[in-house]
Amino acid sequence: MACALVLAILVSSVLHPLSLTTLADESDNNRDALLCLKSRLSITTWNTTSPDFCTWRGVSCTGQPQLPLVVALDMEAQGLTGEISLCMSNLTSLVRIHLPNNQLSGHLPPEIGRLSGLRYLNLSSNALSGEIPESLSLCSSLDVLALSSNSVGGAIPPLLGTLRNLSSLDLSSNKLSGEIPPLLGSSPALESVSLANNFLEGEIPLFLANCSSLRYLSLQNNSLSGAIPAALFNSSTITEIHVSMNNLSGQIPPFTNFPSKLNYLHLTGNSLTGIVPPSVGNLTRLTGLLIAQNQLQGNIPDLSKLSGLQFLDLSYNNLSGIVPPSIYSLPLLSFLGLANNNLRGTLPSHMGNTLSNINSLIMSNNHFEGDIPASLANASRMEFLYLGNNLLSGVVPSFSSMTNLQVLMLYSNQLEAGDWTFFSSLANCTQLLKVNLGGNKLRGNLPPGSVATLPKSMVNLILRSNYISGTIPLEIGNLSKTSLLYLDNNIFTGPIPSILGQLSKLVVLSLSRNKFSGEIPPSIGNLNQLTELYLQENELSGSIPTSLAGCQKLVALNLSSNGLNGSINGRMFSKLNQLSWLLDLSHNQFTESIPLEIGSLINLGSLNLSHNKLRGKIPSALGACIRLEALNLDRNLLEGSIPESLTNLKGVKVLDFSQNNLSGTIPEFLETFTSLQYLNMSFNNFEGPVPIGGAFANTSSVFAQGNALLCSNVQVNDLPRCSTSASQRKRKFIVPLLAALSAVVA
């Protein structure tokens, strides 16, 4: 096929008359140039022992059989490496260079501009860098230029726009910057332009918008700004416009040129305002209309004429009103995205029958109400169903016919379980990956056997914030691929089943705010992929199992508000050194001292040990937890002074030492904590002067009442003046303290 193309090109070419001597020299030069390329690009497929280089793989020639000239190089995906050598420019008769999908590196040499007869250049999907040489504009016959998927940077040479024969330009997926050349689009032959996935700025040039031959335009994922030129939307030739993920603003221009050939319009991810122009409804050839993630308002226009529409995405705007009924009857629609708007109304009872090709129904975060239509069970091609965060009510329908369903999102509605038939019907959804039914009104026990028949492919199961009761079925151990399991905020009772320890893929396990009792099963320690474990607000008892040390990827652990007791096992916690978000053991019955090993949690952001019966001193090792933002040790039996090592906690925002038996002076280093927003030292045995700088000047953030031996260096109501010896400390600015300490003793 390549040879036929080359021959067709050559038939239309006009060759300059050359003497036999000149041709002989030129032919020899071609052979030398090819040998040079072989060595520079690691070409292993050329049999250089053959004198006829025209037989080498990927080389096409023309001219007299005895004096051939190279006109084409076709070597796609041949494993070529190295830099494109200057010797390529010695192949002066080259018409076609096709070297995509290799590992070519380095810069495109400026000498390529010597190839005045070059019509086709494709170096896509390599590792080229540097800039596009301006000399390419000297290749006046260039018809196709493709440099996509490289690392080419800099600006697009302005004179590329003056190439009169250029029909296809693909510079996508590079590192190009600057503005699109203003003359790009001036070529009467230009049909396709792809500059997507770069760092281009500025506005869409008017020449490009007015190009009378343009059929395909792709500018997405840049930083283009300004308004969309009206001429672009009223072209008589354009079929596809992709300008998503830019900074375009203003209103969507109306469409006035009919009939239009436009079949795909992608404007997602800009800052477009105003309404969706009603004239969109006259673009009868549209198959894709994607205008999501803008700032559009008003109602959705009538789209009943768009019978060929397959993709409609209006998500993440400010659209309001009722969805036009005709949208639910578009026969070819496979993707309908209306999420994150202010749309209201009910879902038509027939929508599952009329949307017979629907694959993705994305309608979350609106104000839809009423029942989920039972007819959706007929949407057998459905893969993604998102109806979460609406006002939907009634019993969840069956999904037994949705055998291809992968994601089911019905969270945050007012849905009821009925007899839980819907849950059992999920057994037929053999491709199911994610289910989120959280935040509804599901009541009663999970049906016997329903969990056992859930697809083994399930990775996320979220039933949180309902009224589900009973025990967790032991069959839950069958969900061997599950990584997220949220059963929190329900009324589950009984022990936490040990079989959960078999879910080796679990990353998040949340069973909090239920009525689980008994001990934490040691099998939880088998979950070596677990990063978050939430068991707070249950009725658990006993000690923390030492096997929990096996969960060495934990970043958050919350066991608060239970009846756990015994000592805090420091050796175990020293193995959980990835804890960074949270460690909360508050509101339990832990005794003895805070283990020194807590200091090994150097990445920890929040530590809450409050409301226990911990004794002894605050360990100096806590000073090593330099990333702490919250430290709560209140309501224990701690004694001694605040260790000087805590001066390292420069980023702390919350400190609570209240209601202990701590003594000594309030450390001066607390004045230097510029991030501190809340400090509670109340009801201890602190003595001496109260610091007066930093957070202590904020009357609403510092609490020190209930310390009889505290004093002040200034006159404050009900707070004694410090003695002379106590006043020896360095004097500081004290005016803000008057109001602060007045509040403390009030």
Side-chain angles (χ1 to χ4, degrees), residues 127-132 147-156 171-178 195-200 221-222:
L128 299 174
S129 56
E131 299 184 2
I132 300 173
L147 301 176
S148 64
S149 300
N150 281 285
S151 297
V152 177
I156 301 173
L171 306 178
S172 60
S173 301
N174 277 287
K175 298 180 179 180
L176 297 170
S177 57
L195 306 177
N197 305 317
N198 280 290
F199 302 96
L200 299 171
N221 200 22
N222 280 286

PDB file of all heavy atoms in Angstrom, residues 127-132 147-156 171-178 195-200 221-222:
ATOM      1  N   ALA A 127      10.183   9.852  21.282  1.00  0.00           N
ATOM      2  CA  ALA A 127      10.647  10.560  22.483  1.00  0.00           C
ATOM      3  C   ALA A 127      11.398  11.822  22.082  1.00  0.00           C
ATOM      4  O   ALA A 127      12.386  12.203  22.711  1.00  0.00           O
ATOM      5  CB  ALA A 127      11.525   9.648  23.324  1.00  0.00           C
ATOM      6  N   LEU A 128      10.931  12.476  21.041  1.00  0.00           N
ATOM      7  CA  LEU A 128      11.592  13.685  20.542  1.00  0.00           C
ATOM      8  C   LEU A 128      11.418  14.834  21.527  1.00  0.00           C
ATOM      9  O   LEU A 128      10.397  14.942  22.209  1.00  0.00           O
ATOM     10  CB  LEU A 128      11.020  14.069  19.179  1.00  0.00           C
ATOM     11  CG  LEU A 128      11.198  13.035  18.062  1.00  0.00           C
ATOM     12  CD1 LEU A 128      10.455  13.477  16.810  1.00  0.00           C
ATOM     13  CD2 LEU A 128      12.674  12.823  17.763  1.00  0.00           C
ATOM     14  N   SER A 129      12.401  15.702  21.562  1.00  0.00           N
ATOM     15  CA  SER A 129      12.360  16.869  22.444  1.00  0.00           C
ATOM     16  C   SER A 129      12.770  18.096  21.638  1.00  0.00           C
ATOM     17  O   SER A 129      12.771  18.087  20.415  1.00  0.00           O
ATOM     18  CB  SER A 129      13.273  16.656  23.648  1.00  0.00           C
ATOM     19  OG  SER A 129      14.603  16.371  23.232  1.00  0.00           O
ATOM     20  N   GLY A 130      13.137  19.147  22.349  1.00  0.00           N
ATOM     21  CA  GLY A 130      13.529  20.365  21.643  1.00  0.00           C
ATOM     22  C   GLY A 130      12.323  21.087  21.080  1.00  0.00           C
ATOM     23  O   GLY A 130      11.193  20.938  21.557  1.00  0.00           O
ATOM     24  N   GLU A 131      12.546  21.892  20.049  1.00  0.00           N
ATOM     25  CA  GLU A 131      11.486  22.683  19.444  1.00  0.00           C
ATOM     26  C   GLU A 131      11.278  22.280  17.992  1.00  0.00           C
ATOM     27  O   GLU A 131      12.140  21.643  17.376  1.00  0.00           O
ATOM     28  CB  GLU A 131      11.814  24.178  19.539  1.00  0.00           C
ATOM     29  CG  GLU A 131      11.954  24.676  20.975  1.00  0.00           C
ATOM     30  CD  GLU A 131      12.180  26.185  21.048  1.00  0.00           C
ATOM     31  OE1 GLU A 131      12.194  26.839  19.977  1.00  0.00           O
ATOM     32  OE2 GLU A 131      12.335  26.703  22.163  1.00  0.00           O
ATOM     33  N   ILE A 132      10.128  22.656  17.458  1.00  0.00           N
ATOM     34  CA  ILE A 132       9.857  22.422  16.037  1.00  0.00           C
ATOM     35  C   ILE A 132      10.685  23.420  15.239  1.00  0.00           C
ATOM     36  O   ILE A 132      10.555  24.634  15.446  1.00  0.00           O
ATOM     37  CB  ILE A 132       8.364  22.616  15.728  1.00  0.00           C
ATOM     38  CG1 ILE A 132       7.521  21.638  16.548  1.00  0.00           C
ATOM     39  CG2 ILE A 132       8.091  22.423  14.231  1.00  0.00           C
ATOM     40  CD1 ILE A 132       6.029  21.879  16.438  1.00  0.00           C
ATOM     41  N   LEU A 147       3.501  15.115  14.607  1.00  0.00           N
ATOM     42  CA  LEU A 147       4.564  14.994  15.613  1.00  0.00           C
ATOM     43  C   LEU A 147       3.961  14.690  16.986  1.00  0.00           C
ATOM     44  O   LEU A 147       4.588  14.962  18.014  1.00  0.00           O
ATOM     45  CB  LEU A 147       5.374  16.290  15.684  1.00  0.00           C
ATOM     46  CG  LEU A 147       6.063  16.758  14.403  1.00  0.00           C
ATOM     47  CD1 LEU A 147       6.747  18.107  14.627  1.00  0.00           C
ATOM     48  CD2 LEU A 147       7.081  15.735  13.930  1.00  0.00           C
ATOM     49  N   SER A 148       2.784  14.125  17.030  1.00  0.00           N
ATOM     50  CA  SER A 148       2.074  13.922  18.292  1.00  0.00           C
ATOM     51  C   SER A 148       2.795  12.942  19.212  1.00  0.00           C
ATOM     52  O   SER A 148       3.613  12.128  18.780  1.00  0.00           O
ATOM     53  CB  SER A 148       0.657  13.419  18.016  1.00  0.00           C
ATOM     54  OG  SER A 148       0.701  12.151  17.394  1.00  0.00           O
ATOM     55  N   SER A 149       2.460  13.056  20.504  1.00  0.00           N
ATOM     56  CA  SER A 149       2.957  12.125  21.529  1.00  0.00           C
ATOM     57  C   SER A 149       4.476  12.064  21.564  1.00  0.00           C
ATOM     58  O   SER A 149       5.087  11.006  21.461  1.00  0.00           O
ATOM     59  CB  SER A 149       2.367  10.719  21.309  1.00  0.00           C
ATOM     60  OG  SER A 149       0.969  10.751  21.375  1.00  0.00           O
ATOM     61  N   ASN A 150       5.084  13.245  21.690  1.00  0.00           N
ATOM     62  CA  ASN A 150       6.509  13.377  21.940  1.00  0.00           C
ATOM     63  C   ASN A 150       6.684  14.316  23.123  1.00  0.00           C
ATOM     64  O   ASN A 150       5.753  14.494  23.918  1.00  0.00           O
ATOM     65  CB  ASN A 150       7.222  13.906  20.690  1.00  0.00           C
ATOM     66  CG  ASN A 150       7.454  12.828  19.646  1.00  0.00           C
ATOM     67  OD1 ASN A 150       8.321  11.987  19.785  1.00  0.00           O
ATOM     68  ND2 ASN A 150       6.652  12.857  18.560  1.00  0.00           N
ATOM     69  N   SER A 151       7.837  14.908  23.258  1.00  0.00           N
ATOM     70  CA  SER A 151       8.078  15.903  24.314  1.00  0.00           C
ATOM     71  C   SER A 151       8.591  17.192  23.703  1.00  0.00           C
ATOM     72  O   SER A 151       9.429  17.888  24.275  1.00  0.00           O
ATOM     73  CB  SER A 151       9.080  15.356  25.339  1.00  0.00           C
ATOM     74  OG  SER A 151       8.572  14.219  25.993  1.00  0.00           O
ATOM     75  N   VAL A 152       8.065  17.508  22.540  1.00  0.00           N
ATOM     76  CA  VAL A 152       8.485  18.719  21.834  1.00  0.00           C
ATOM     77  C   VAL A 152       7.912  19.931  22.556  1.00  0.00           C
ATOM     78  O   VAL A 152       6.737  19.959  22.919  1.00  0.00           O
ATOM     79  CB  VAL A 152       8.005  18.671  20.373  1.00  0.00           C
ATOM     80  CG1 VAL A 152       8.362  19.954  19.653  1.00  0.00           C
ATOM     81  CG2 VAL A 152       8.622  17.471  19.662  1.00  0.00           C
ATOM     82  N   GLY A 153       8.744  20.947  22.767  1.00  0.00           N
ATOM     83  CA  GLY A 153       8.316  22.139  23.492  1.00  0.00           C
ATOM     84  C   GLY A 153       8.456  23.402  22.669  1.00  0.00           C
ATOM     85  O   GLY A 153       8.626  23.370  21.451  1.00  0.00           O
ATOM     86  N   GLY A 154       8.399  24.542  23.377  1.00  0.00           N
ATOM     87  CA  GLY A 154       8.522  25.823  22.693  1.00  0.00           C
ATOM     88  C   GLY A 154       7.245  26.199  21.970  1.00  0.00           C
ATOM     89  O   GLY A 154       6.195  25.575  22.123  1.00  0.00           O
ATOM     90  N   ALA A 155       7.359  27.242  21.165  1.00  0.00           N
ATOM     91  CA  ALA A 155       6.206  27.751  20.425  1.00  0.00           C
ATOM     92  C   ALA A 155       6.065  27.049  19.081  1.00  0.00           C
ATOM     93  O   ALA A 155       7.037  26.525  18.530  1.00  0.00           O
ATOM     94  CB  ALA A 155       6.339  29.254  20.222  1.00  0.00           C
ATOM     95  N   ILE A 156       4.852  27.044  18.570  1.00  0.00           N
ATOM     96  CA  ILE A 156       4.624  26.555  17.212  1.00  0.00           C
ATOM     97  C   ILE A 156       5.160  27.598  16.244  1.00  0.00           C
ATOM     98  O   ILE A 156       4.787  28.780  16.340  1.00  0.00           O
ATOM     99  CB  ILE A 156       3.121  26.324  16.968  1.00  0.00           C
ATOM    100  CG1 ILE A 156       2.569  25.303  17.959  1.00  0.00           C
ATOM    101  CG2 ILE A 156       2.873  25.860  15.533  1.00  0.00           C
ATOM    102  CD1 ILE A 156       1.054  25.147  17.905  1.00  0.00           C
ATOM    103  N   LEU A 171      -0.038  18.012  16.273  1.00  0.00           N
ATOM    104  CA  LEU A 171       1.051  18.291  17.227  1.00  0.00           C
ATOM    105  C   LEU A 171       0.597  17.987  18.650  1.00  0.00           C
ATOM    106  O   LEU A 171       1.163  18.506  19.616  1.00  0.00           O
ATOM    107  CB  LEU A 171       1.476  19.763  17.117  1.00  0.00           C
ATOM    108  CG  LEU A 171       1.870  20.266  15.725  1.00  0.00           C
ATOM    109  CD1 LEU A 171       2.224  21.758  15.784  1.00  0.00           C
ATOM    110  CD2 LEU A 171       3.038  19.473  15.169  1.00  0.00           C
ATOM    111  N   SER A 172      -0.401  17.150  18.794  1.00  0.00           N
ATOM    112  CA  SER A 172      -1.000  16.888  20.100  1.00  0.00           C
ATOM    113  C   SER A 172      -0.054  16.138  21.031  1.00  0.00           C
ATOM    114  O   SER A 172       0.899  15.492  20.600  1.00  0.00           O
ATOM    115  CB  SER A 172      -2.299  16.094  19.929  1.00  0.00           C
ATOM    116  OG  SER A 172      -2.044  14.857  19.297  1.00  0.00           O
ATOM    117  N   SER A 173      -0.349  16.255  22.328  1.00  0.00           N
ATOM    118  CA  SER A 173       0.370  15.517  23.379  1.00  0.00           C
ATOM    119  C   SER A 173       1.866  15.776  23.337  1.00  0.00           C
ATOM    120  O   SER A 173       2.680  14.858  23.230  1.00  0.00           O
ATOM    121  CB  SER A 173       0.077  14.012  23.271  1.00  0.00           C
ATOM    122  OG  SER A 173      -1.296  13.763  23.392  1.00  0.00           O
ATOM    123  N   ASN A 174       2.211  17.058  23.409  1.00  0.00           N
ATOM    124  CA  ASN A 174       3.600  17.483  23.525  1.00  0.00           C
ATOM    125  C   ASN A 174       3.713  18.474  24.677  1.00  0.00           C
ATOM    126  O   ASN A 174       2.881  18.461  25.593  1.00  0.00           O
ATOM    127  CB  ASN A 174       4.076  18.092  22.201  1.00  0.00           C
ATOM    128  CG  ASN A 174       4.514  17.046  21.198  1.00  0.00           C
ATOM    129  OD1 ASN A 174       5.558  16.440  21.346  1.00  0.00           O
ATOM    130  ND2 ASN A 174       3.702  16.828  20.161  1.00  0.00           N
ATOM    131  N   LYS A 175       4.688  19.337  24.619  1.00  0.00           N
ATOM    132  CA  LYS A 175       4.870  20.361  25.658  1.00  0.00           C
ATOM    133  C   LYS A 175       4.924  21.744  25.031  1.00  0.00           C
ATOM    134  O   LYS A 175       5.641  22.632  25.493  1.00  0.00           O
ATOM    135  CB  LYS A 175       6.153  20.080  26.446  1.00  0.00           C
ATOM    136  CG  LYS A 175       6.143  18.743  27.185  1.00  0.00           C
ATOM    137  CD  LYS A 175       7.436  18.499  27.947  1.00  0.00           C
ATOM    138  CE  LYS A 175       7.393  17.168  28.683  1.00  0.00           C
ATOM    139  NZ  LYS A 175       8.650  16.896  29.429  1.00  0.00           N
ATOM    140  N   LEU A 176       4.154  21.933  23.985  1.00  0.00           N
ATOM    141  CA  LEU A 176       4.148  23.200  23.262  1.00  0.00           C
ATOM    142  C   LEU A 176       3.519  24.295  24.112  1.00  0.00           C
ATOM    143  O   LEU A 176       2.566  24.060  24.862  1.00  0.00           O
ATOM    144  CB  LEU A 176       3.383  23.052  21.953  1.00  0.00           C
ATOM    145  CG  LEU A 176       3.988  22.046  20.954  1.00  0.00           C
ATOM    146  CD1 LEU A 176       3.029  21.792  19.813  1.00  0.00           C
ATOM    147  CD2 LEU A 176       5.330  22.556  20.433  1.00  0.00           C
ATOM    148  N   SER A 177       4.033  25.499  23.983  1.00  0.00           N
ATOM    149  CA  SER A 177       3.541  26.634  24.754  1.00  0.00           C
ATOM    150  C   SER A 177       3.356  27.831  23.832  1.00  0.00           C
ATOM    151  O   SER A 177       3.570  27.754  22.626  1.00  0.00           O
ATOM    152  CB  SER A 177       4.518  26.960  25.891  1.00  0.00           C
ATOM    153  OG  SER A 177       5.813  27.221  25.379  1.00  0.00           O
ATOM    154  N   GLY A 178       2.966  28.951  24.432  1.00  0.00           N
ATOM    155  CA  GLY A 178       2.728  30.146  23.626  1.00  0.00           C
ATOM    156  C   GLY A 178       1.359  30.110  22.973  1.00  0.00           C
ATOM    157  O   GLY A 178       0.476  29.325  23.350  1.00  0.00           O
ATOM    158  N   LEU A 195      -4.110  20.032  18.213  1.00  0.00           N
ATOM    159  CA  LEU A 195      -3.084  20.627  19.081  1.00  0.00           C
ATOM    160  C   LEU A 195      -3.384  20.291  20.544  1.00  0.00           C
ATOM    161  O   LEU A 195      -2.910  20.979  21.452  1.00  0.00           O
ATOM    162  CB  LEU A 195      -3.057  22.155  18.888  1.00  0.00           C
ATOM    163  CG  LEU A 195      -2.876  22.662  17.453  1.00  0.00           C
ATOM    164  CD1 LEU A 195      -2.938  24.183  17.417  1.00  0.00           C
ATOM    165  CD2 LEU A 195      -1.559  22.169  16.867  1.00  0.00           C
ATOM    166  N   ALA A 196      -4.134  19.240  20.783  1.00  0.00           N
ATOM    167  CA  ALA A 196      -4.583  18.880  22.129  1.00  0.00           C
ATOM    168  C   ALA A 196      -3.422  18.503  23.037  1.00  0.00           C
ATOM    169  O   ALA A 196      -2.343  18.128  22.591  1.00  0.00           O
ATOM    170  CB  ALA A 196      -5.573  17.714  22.042  1.00  0.00           C
ATOM    171  N   ASN A 197      -3.678  18.613  24.338  1.00  0.00           N
ATOM    172  CA  ASN A 197      -2.742  18.140  25.373  1.00  0.00           C
ATOM    173  C   ASN A 197      -1.387  18.815  25.281  1.00  0.00           C
ATOM    174  O   ASN A 197      -0.345  18.169  25.193  1.00  0.00           O
ATOM    175  CB  ASN A 197      -2.584  16.616  25.295  1.00  0.00           C
ATOM    176  CG  ASN A 197      -3.898  15.882  25.390  1.00  0.00           C
ATOM    177  OD1 ASN A 197      -4.747  16.218  26.204  1.00  0.00           O
ATOM    178  ND2 ASN A 197      -4.088  14.897  24.529  1.00  0.00           N
ATOM    179  N   ASN A 198      -1.418  20.152  25.283  1.00  0.00           N
ATOM    180  CA  ASN A 198      -0.202  20.953  25.331  1.00  0.00           C
ATOM    181  C   ASN A 198      -0.377  22.027  26.389  1.00  0.00           C
ATOM    182  O   ASN A 198      -1.212  21.890  27.294  1.00  0.00           O
ATOM    183  CB  ASN A 198       0.087  21.547  23.950  1.00  0.00           C
ATOM    184  CG  ASN A 198       0.736  20.559  23.000  1.00  0.00           C
ATOM    185  OD1 ASN A 198       1.883  20.186  23.178  1.00  0.00           O
ATOM    186  ND2 ASN A 198      -0.012  20.111  21.993  1.00  0.00           N
ATOM    187  N   PHE A 199       0.381  23.086  26.295  1.00  0.00           N
ATOM    188  CA  PHE A 199       0.293  24.196  27.247  1.00  0.00           C
ATOM    189  C   PHE A 199       0.041  25.506  26.502  1.00  0.00           C
ATOM    190  O   PHE A 199       0.561  26.559  26.873  1.00  0.00           O
ATOM    191  CB  PHE A 199       1.582  24.283  28.068  1.00  0.00           C
ATOM    192  CG  PHE A 199       1.912  23.032  28.821  1.00  0.00           C
ATOM    193  CD1 PHE A 199       2.797  22.092  28.302  1.00  0.00           C
ATOM    194  CD2 PHE A 199       1.316  22.764  30.043  1.00  0.00           C
ATOM    195  CE1 PHE A 199       3.097  20.928  28.981  1.00  0.00           C
ATOM    196  CE2 PHE A 199       1.613  21.593  30.732  1.00  0.00           C
ATOM    197  CZ  PHE A 199       2.499  20.679  30.205  1.00  0.00           C
ATOM    198  N   LEU A 200      -0.749  25.445  25.474  1.00  0.00           N
ATOM    199  CA  LEU A 200      -1.002  26.606  24.626  1.00  0.00           C
ATOM    200  C   LEU A 200      -1.911  27.604  25.335  1.00  0.00           C
ATOM    201  O   LEU A 200      -2.810  27.236  26.090  1.00  0.00           O
ATOM    202  CB  LEU A 200      -1.619  26.162  23.306  1.00  0.00           C
ATOM    203  CG  LEU A 200      -0.741  25.221  22.466  1.00  0.00           C
ATOM    204  CD1 LEU A 200      -1.512  24.663  21.289  1.00  0.00           C
ATOM    205  CD2 LEU A 200       0.513  25.954  21.989  1.00  0.00           C
ATOM    206  N   ASN A 221      -7.574  20.375  26.387  1.00  0.00           N
ATOM    207  CA  ASN A 221      -6.537  20.228  27.412  1.00  0.00           C
ATOM    208  C   ASN A 221      -5.341  21.134  27.158  1.00  0.00           C
ATOM    209  O   ASN A 221      -4.199  20.695  27.095  1.00  0.00           O
ATOM    210  CB  ASN A 221      -6.087  18.769  27.531  1.00  0.00           C
ATOM    211  CG  ASN A 221      -5.404  18.487  28.851  1.00  0.00           C
ATOM    212  OD1 ASN A 221      -5.596  19.208  29.828  1.00  0.00           O
ATOM    213  ND2 ASN A 221      -4.593  17.455  28.884  1.00  0.00           N
ATOM    214  N   ASN A 222      -5.646  22.431  27.001  1.00  0.00           N
ATOM    215  CA  ASN A 222      -4.629  23.477  26.950  1.00  0.00           C
ATOM    216  C   ASN A 222      -5.023  24.551  27.947  1.00  0.00           C
ATOM    217  O   ASN A 222      -5.760  24.280  28.901  1.00  0.00           O
ATOM    218  CB  ASN A 222      -4.515  24.038  25.532  1.00  0.00           C
ATOM    219  CG  ASN A 222      -3.696  23.153  24.614  1.00  0.00           C
ATOM    220  OD1 ASN A 222      -2.475  23.098  24.714  1.00  0.00           O
ATOM    221  ND2 ASN A 222      -4.363  22.432  23.705  1.00  0.00           N
TER     222      ASN A 222
END
